[in-house]
């Protein structure tokens, strides 16, 4: 039997209509920052958003598309396996799951479109008419940004809630009339929302591996940290500092912190020479001579150990010079203030 000619023609057209992954990647490479590959796949809304934002928020979406192009092509071709998986997922979840990427995209595009509309309104009269009343349509541009990003791909929704929310917050446009205040506020809110998503991931889902190779949830680790000796000892130390400051003043606390930081390298020098902080100059000199003989590079024949001995020898010399200088200054100062 033979297939009808018209049937063969339809099949040929269907085959020609199939989108190519290879061609999509080529279009992504040469014009993806303007949404050319999305235009080819008939994802017109995403193509327009990419064109407006130079590749989805200055190239971030363009780079992300590298990993999603096979999925986009399968969707455009009506791939059977892709469609079945999508239907199965929709039946399982009941409603589209929350997407942090899409949510941030809604905020950015809505802010961009509403800002452009706002800037396009003439500040002065044109033709004897004051056009500032067009500000009433700024929330519409904002809602269109939310709706457009929300309807990219197979996700579908109405503009109603975005429109209600945009007009409900319209008074904020006048409250934040200063452009810099508005921008800073919006970016701060976006930043807090974005960081909250990361915090949620880290607390509820993130895991790390301990020294024994066992996985531990971040939430459990945080809970145990606040009962660990490290935290309890730290809190006890802070409490001791507070009590000390109440009796002696914060200036005394500051002086102790300066001394503990070893700004002159005195404590480190005592450690290198292995002498106590109360050692005399004679004891320090005797220890320096003994260590210098022990770690002198000329005594070491092994080339691999010679470098280590030389570094140790230099540390000993520097420690001795530092302590001698400090002792000398301290001695002169004591003589200066000694009563006759």
């Amino acid at each position: 039997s033979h297939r009808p000619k018209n049937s063969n023609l339809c099949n040929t057209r269907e085959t020609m209509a199939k989108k190519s992954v290879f061609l999509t990647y080529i279009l992504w490479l040469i014009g993806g920052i303007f949404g050319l590959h999305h235009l080819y796949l008939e994802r017109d809304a995403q193509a327009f958003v990419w064109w407006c934002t130079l590749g989805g928020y200055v190239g971030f979406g363009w780079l992300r598309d590298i990993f999603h192009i096979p999925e986009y092509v399968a969707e455009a071709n009506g791939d059977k396996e892709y469609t079945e998986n999508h239907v199965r997922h929709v039946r399982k979840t009941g409603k589209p799951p929350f997407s942090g990427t899409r949510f941030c995209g809604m905020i950015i595009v809505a802010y961009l479109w509403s800002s452009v509309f706002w800037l396009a309104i003439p500040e002065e009269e044109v033709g004897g008419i004051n056009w500032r009343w067009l500000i009433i349509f700024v929330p519409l541009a904002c809602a269109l940004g939310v709706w457009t990003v929300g309807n990219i791909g197979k996700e579908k929704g109405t503009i109603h809630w975005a429109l209600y929310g945009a007009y409900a917050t319209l008074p904020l446009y006048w409250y934040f009339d200063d452009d810099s205040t508005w921008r800073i506020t919006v970016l701060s809110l976006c930043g807090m929302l974005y960081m909250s998503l990361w915090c949620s991931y880290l607390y509820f889902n993130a895991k790390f591996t301990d020294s024994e190779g066992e996985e531990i949830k971040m939430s459990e680790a945080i809970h145990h940290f606040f009962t660990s000796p490290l935290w309890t000892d730290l809190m006890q130390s802070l409490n001791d500092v507070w009590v000390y400051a109440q009796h002696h003043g914060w200036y005394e606390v500051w002086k102790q912190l300066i001394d503990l930081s070893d700004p002159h390298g005195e404590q480190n020098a005592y450690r290198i020479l292995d002498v106590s902080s109360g050692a005399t100059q004679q004891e320090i000199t005797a220890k320096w001579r003994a260590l210098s003989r022990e770690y002198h590079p000329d005594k070491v024949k092994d080339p691999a150990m010679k470098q280590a001995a030389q570094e140790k020898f230099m540390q000993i010399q520097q420690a001795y010079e530092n302590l001698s200088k400090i002792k000398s200054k301290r001695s002169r100062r004591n003589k200066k203030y000694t009563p006759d």
Side-chain angles (χ1 to χ4, degrees):
S1 60
H2 298 281
R3 292 184 179 179
K5 187 176 180 180
N6 290 341
S7 177
N8 291 335
L9 182 60
C10 291
N11 290 337
T12 302
R13 287 178 177 172
E14 184 179 352
T15 303
M16 291 176 61
K18 291 289 185 182
K19 307 299 181 181
S20 165
V21 173
F22 175 75
L23 181 55
T24 304
Y25 273 112
I26 294 297
L27 295 174
W28 169 86
L29 183 63
I30 63 176
I33 199 167
F34 300 110
L36 188 59
H37 58 302
H38 288 302
L39 196 63
Y40 166 69
L41 296 174
E42 300 179 13
R43 300 171 65 88
D44 296 343
Q46 193 163 358
F48 184 70
V49 169
W50 259 225
W51 178 78
C52 293
T53 59
L54 292 180
Y57 333 124
V58 198
F60 286 103
W62 175 71
L63 291 173
R64 181 178 175 271
D65 283 344
I66 298 176
F67 309 102
H68 292 272
I69 282 177
E71 175 188 338
Y72 295 156
V73 173
E75 179 184 342
N77 290 333
D79 182 76
K80 183 178 179 181
E81 183 179 354
Y82 173 83
T83 304
E84 289 176 352
N85 289 336
H86 178 73
V87 171
R88 192 181 305 114
H89 180 71
V90 170
R91 288 175 177 172
K92 181 180 179 181
T93 57
K95 60 181 180 179
F98 175 78
S99 170
T101 303
R102 189 181 292 264
F103 180 72
C104 291
M106 289 178 179
I107 294 175
I108 294 171
V109 174
Y111 173 68
L112 174 64
W113 288 5
S114 58
S115 297
V116 171
F117 189 93
W118 181 294
L119 294 172
I121 300 173
E123 295 182 358
E124 300 177 356
E125 291 186 0
V126 178
I129 301 174
N130 186 346
W131 296 95
R132 297 303 292 173
W133 62 270
L134 290 173
I135 289 176
I136 196 68
F137 293 109
V138 169
L140 177 60
C142 179
L144 282 171
V146 173
W147 177 77
T148 302
V149 175
N151 283 268
I152 287 176
K154 288 187 174 295
E155 308 293 345
K156 301 298 176 186
T158 66
I159 197 174
H160 299 150
W161 285 109
L163 204 57
Y164 298 153
Y167 274 100
T169 56
L170 180 59
L172 294 177
Y173 282 94
W174 280 274
Y175 181 76
F176 294 107
D177 193 39
D178 183 6
D179 213 24
S180 60
T181 304
W182 169 252
R183 289 175 58 240
I184 292 171
T185 303
V186 171
L187 290 174
S188 299
L189 289 173
C190 291
M192 287 189 290
L193 287 169
Y194 182 72
M195 291 305 299
S196 68
L197 295 174
W198 275 109
C199 291
S200 177
Y201 158 71
L202 291 173
Y203 186 80
F204 293 108
N205 300 322
K207 298 178 182 179
F208 65 93
T209 306
D210 63 9
S211 57
E212 298 179 354
E214 183 179 351
E215 285 191 343
I216 304 174
K217 290 190 69 174
M218 185 68 73
S219 56
E220 295 179 5
I222 293 174
H223 172 73
H224 293 311
F225 169 76
F226 287 111
T227 58
S228 67
L230 175 64
W231 177 256
T232 53
D233 291 348
L234 174 63
M235 295 306 294
Q236 183 61 45
S237 299
L238 292 175
N239 183 66
D240 293 343
V241 169
W242 171 258
V243 173
Y244 183 86
Q246 297 304 305
H247 290 84
H248 301 88
W250 287 103
Y251 182 68
E252 288 297 322
V253 175
W254 172 253
K255 289 200 299 184
Q256 287 201 9
L257 288 173
I258 293 296
D259 291 340
L260 288 173
S261 66
D262 195 20
H264 301 291
E266 184 177 4
Q267 300 303 320
N268 184 52
Y270 284 129
R271 181 183 60 80
I272 292 173
L273 295 178
D274 194 22
V275 293
S276 65
S277 57
T280 63
Q281 183 62 45
Q282 290 77 12
E283 292 172 336
I284 292 171
T285 302
K287 190 66 174 181
W288 163 68
R289 286 173 178 168
L291 291 173
S292 297
R293 287 193 297 269
E294 181 181 351
Y295 289 98
H296 200 284
D298 294 342
K299 285 188 166 187
V300 181
K301 305 301 180 184
D302 187 353
M305 299 179 62
K306 193 176 186 68
Q307 179 66 26
Q310 188 169 357
E311 291 177 1
K312 180 69 175 177
F313 182 78
M314 292 301 298
Q315 288 180 358
I316 292 168
Q317 306 310 309
Q318 290 173 1
Y320 174 70
E321 291 174 7
N322 194 21
L323 279 182
S324 298
K325 190 186 298 182
I326 292 171
K327 291 279 186 182
S328 177
K329 285 183 180 179
R330 196 168 291 160
S331 178
R332 289 197 301 269
R333 188 166 59 247
N334 291 338
K335 286 180 181 179
K336 183 178 178 180
Y337 290 104
T338 300
D340 296 333

